Amino acid sequence: MALWLGRIGMVSLFWVWAAGVICAQPVADIRPQLKALTEQQRAELFNYFRHLRVQVADQAQHAYEQLTEPQKRRVIDLLDFYRRSGQEELLARVVWSPDTLVLGDMVEGTVRIDSFRVTNVGEYPYRIESTWATCDCAVVYAPDYPIMPGTSAVLRVEFKSHGKLGQSHPVVVVFDNSEPNKRHILYVKAHISARKKVLFPWDN
């Protein structure tokens, strides 16, 4: 009896081991599993790839293969730009529209969001390195990717009127790779009026 039970136990252990081996077998395509990962899990997975000395850049190849032919040509142009920019200064030509945001009248304490549009009219990719505003009332959100020739992008500005009264004219400086001096100056104009105080019947 004990021998028979022992054999059953051994068989059970074998099937548990076999199931584990089957589940652990590699698959040809892990993309379905990747879709189910959280951002943190995905980051941990890529860190594990690096630990295994796997070139994580291979995912860029996969992304490239999914692009249309015109998009692929732009990626090739961008890679060529990266290669050449290490050897020579390649300045882009861009046009901003408008160069001044006129926000008009605002009540103190309100927030208004507007945007500048930049169009690359040159032959080289346009890259915004950083932005700076003369007033903390203007928060700038710039595109963090290269703007290819013939395309446009939006630079968003969030204007906060808290603690401001009267005319406000913050200046936004965009540091980039554009000709002639690798920067552009943009303007924001607003007029802030005081918030009206609510009067109650019991107020004197």
Side-chain angles (χ1 to χ4, degrees):
M1 183 70 175
L3 180 62
W4 182 74
L5 290 175
R7 287 179 178 175
I8 292 178
M10 291 296 291
V11 170
S12 299
L13 286 174
F14 170 79
W15 283 114
V16 169
W17 171 82
V21 170
I22 292 172
C23 292
Q25 290 298 313
V27 295
D29 190 350
I30 64 171
R31 283 174 293 180
Q33 292 94 319
L34 292 177
K35 291 180 180 179
L37 297 181
T38 65
E39 288 299 320
Q40 181 178 351
Q41 291 169 337
R42 188 182 297 267
E44 290 176 357
L45 177 63
F46 288 147
N47 287 338
Y48 182 62
F49 282 156
R50 294 186 185 96
H51 169 72
L52 298 176
R53 305 194 192 294
V54 175
Q55 294 296 323
V56 184
D58 290 346
Q59 64 182 312
Q61 172 64 29
H62 173 66
Y64 173 77
E65 291 170 355
Q66 300 181 64
L67 300 177
T68 64
E69 289 303 316
Q71 291 172 331
K72 287 181 179 178
R73 285 194 291 270
R74 285 179 176 167
V75 170
I76 296 301
D77 290 342
L78 180 59
L79 293 175
D80 183 61
F81 167 77
Y82 287 148
R83 179 185 61 81
R84 294 177 58 192
S85 60
Q87 306 166 0
E88 56 184 311
E89 189 172 57
L90 305 176
L91 299 182
R93 286 190 299 114
V94 297
V95 174
W96 288 90
S97 178
D99 62 359
T100 303
L101 289 181
V102 181
L103 302 181
D105 294 326
M106 298 178 62
V107 176
E108 189 275 328
T110 58
V111 176
R112 190 163 294 174
I113 298 174
D114 209 333
S115 58
F116 299 95
R117 175 171 291 274
V118 59
T119 302
N120 187 341
V121 296
E123 58 177 314
Y124 302 120
Y126 174 61
R127 300 168 65 227
I128 295 177
E129 304 290 345
S130 61
T131 60
W132 177 75
T134 57
C135 173
D136 60 1
C137 59
V139 181
V140 181
Y141 301 92
D144 59 357
Y145 57 89
I147 300 160
M148 301 302 290
T151 65
S152 301
V154 166
L155 183 143
R156 190 162 59 94
V157 176
E158 182 178 340
F159 181 81
K160 302 177 180 180
S161 64
H162 302 277
K164 306 293 180 183
L165 285 177
Q167 298 293 334
S168 182
H169 302 283
V171 175
V172 175
V173 182
V174 180
F175 299 97
D176 52 28
N177 70 320
S178 68
E179 57 182 45
N181 53 9
K182 298 196 288 187
R183 70 174 180 270
H184 273 84
I185 299 178
L186 308 171
Y187 304 91
V188 180
K189 293 184 178 180
H191 179 267
I192 300 98
S193 56
R195 185 182 297 274
K196 293 182 179 179
K197 183 179 179 181
V198 178
L199 297 178
F200 296 98
W202 52 85
D203 291 332
N204 292 329

